[in-house]
Amino acid sequence: VIEVRGPRAMELIQRHWSPHRGTSDFVLGRIRYGMFRTTPGDPLSIGESIVAVQRELDRFELHCHGGQAAALSILRALVDAGAEEFARNAWIEREVPGKMAAEATEALLKATTVRTASILMDQVRGALDREWNEIARSIAEKKLADAGDKIDALRRRADIGLHLIHPWRVVLCGPPNVGKSSLLNRLLGYSRAVVHAEAGTTRDLLAESTSIDGWPVTLIDSAGVRGSEHEVE
């Protein structure tokens, strides 16, 4: 998502963007689908299909798809037309109040599943700050046992917090030809690893990302563990 803000925001967008249907006029809050051309006025120039939304009078969002290169080409076109680029961390520092909320926003941008993103959204909205305030209130009121219980509850969830953006790494290991690669393919839902009746098909570590119950996981297939005099083994 690229945010375009300022008195010239609409002018810059309308120079490059044309709607799929209707006029290029915007209505607050209405989602518009259209084509963004990096070279305006040239029907042969490469365009990107995007969704544009006017959030406020001078604030627009361009929702891109097609990978980072597509978004960067749109960003470069806007900068060439006179826009000033703000780095992500500069935007967060300016827009997000509070250190914890800022860190949660930075992490939210790296979330890979809906489940972890929803937890981080709670953090952006101050969930951890509220927990700390409750602990501080319990200490101030001399309810130390209550404060200790709240701290212990937070510590029990620490391992989950560490894996909101950094996936669990699970290695499938064991003797040759017991089905490690078949298990990897089944968990992923497609044939990522070569499977063969002959033992020793897998030679190197093979890592692939997936999610299990909404949690990011990196599964690592490995060669069968066995004793051998063979040089490759």
Side-chain angles (χ1 to χ4, degrees):
V1 179
I2 298 173
E3 182 182 78
V4 187
R5 178 185 295 191
R8 294 186 58 212
M10 184 180 295
E11 172 198 339
L12 292 175
I13 292 171
Q14 288 180 332
R15 180 184 300 180
H16 293 269
W17 179 83
S18 57
H20 183 60
R21 291 192 182 92
T23 69
S24 59
D25 295 331
F26 284 93
V27 177
L28 280 174
R30 180 176 294 177
I31 296 172
R32 303 292 308 278
Y33 168 70
M35 182 70 69
F36 188 103
R37 298 191 183 279
T38 55
T39 305
D42 182 1
L44 298 179
S45 68
I46 298 175
E48 296 291 344
S49 296
I50 65 169
V51 169
V53 185
Q54 184 179 17
R55 290 296 193 183
E56 298 171 5
L57 183 63
D58 291 336
R59 185 167 74 89
F60 295 77
E61 287 179 2
L62 305 179
H63 294 252
C64 315
H65 71 280
Q68 188 177 31
L72 288 176
S73 69
I74 293 172
L75 187 61
R76 282 195 297 269
L78 292 170
V79 171
D80 290 343
E84 179 185 358
E85 180 181 355
F86 272 82
R88 182 175 69 190
N89 57 349
W91 181 89
I92 292 174
E93 185 178 334
R94 186 181 68 176
E95 298 294 328
V96 182
K99 186 175 185 294
M100 286 188 185
E103 290 183 0
T105 301
E106 181 71 34
L108 178 62
L109 297 174
K110 302 173 184 176
T112 57
T113 71
V114 173
R115 183 168 191 172
T116 56
S118 65
I119 294 172
L120 287 165
M121 279 299 299
D122 285 340
Q123 299 302 321
V124 171
R125 296 177 181 130
L128 187 56
D129 273 325
R130 288 192 295 273
E131 292 285 341
W132 282 121
N133 290 336
E134 286 293 323
I135 292 170
R137 186 178 299 110
S138 295
I139 293 173
E141 294 173 357
K142 307 299 183 183
K143 299 177 181 178
L144 301 185
D146 188 34
D149 290 341
K150 290 184 172 70
I151 291 171
D152 288 339
L154 283 179
R155 291 176 62 188
R156 285 194 296 271
R157 296 198 294 268
D159 192 49
I160 293 175
L162 292 173
H163 291 95
L164 291 174
I165 57 175
H166 300 294
W168 273 278
R169 293 171 59 84
V170 179
V171 177
L172 307 178
C173 62
N177 221 25
V178 295
K180 297 184 295 299
S181 298
S182 297
L183 177 59
L184 174 76
N185 291 341
R186 181 61 65 89
L187 290 172
L188 292 175
Y190 64 95
S191 296
R192 177 65 179 88
V194 175
V195 176
H196 195 272
E198 181 181 342
T201 303
T202 303
R203 292 289 184 176
D204 300 308
L205 295 176
L206 178 65
E208 194 65 42
S209 298
T210 186
S211 64
I212 298 177
D213 196 25
W215 296 101
V217 176
T218 297
L219 298 174
I220 304 171
D221 191 16
S222 62
V225 179
R226 59 180 170 177
S228 174
E229 297 299 325
H230 193 280
E231 185 177 356
V232 174
E233 292 291 336

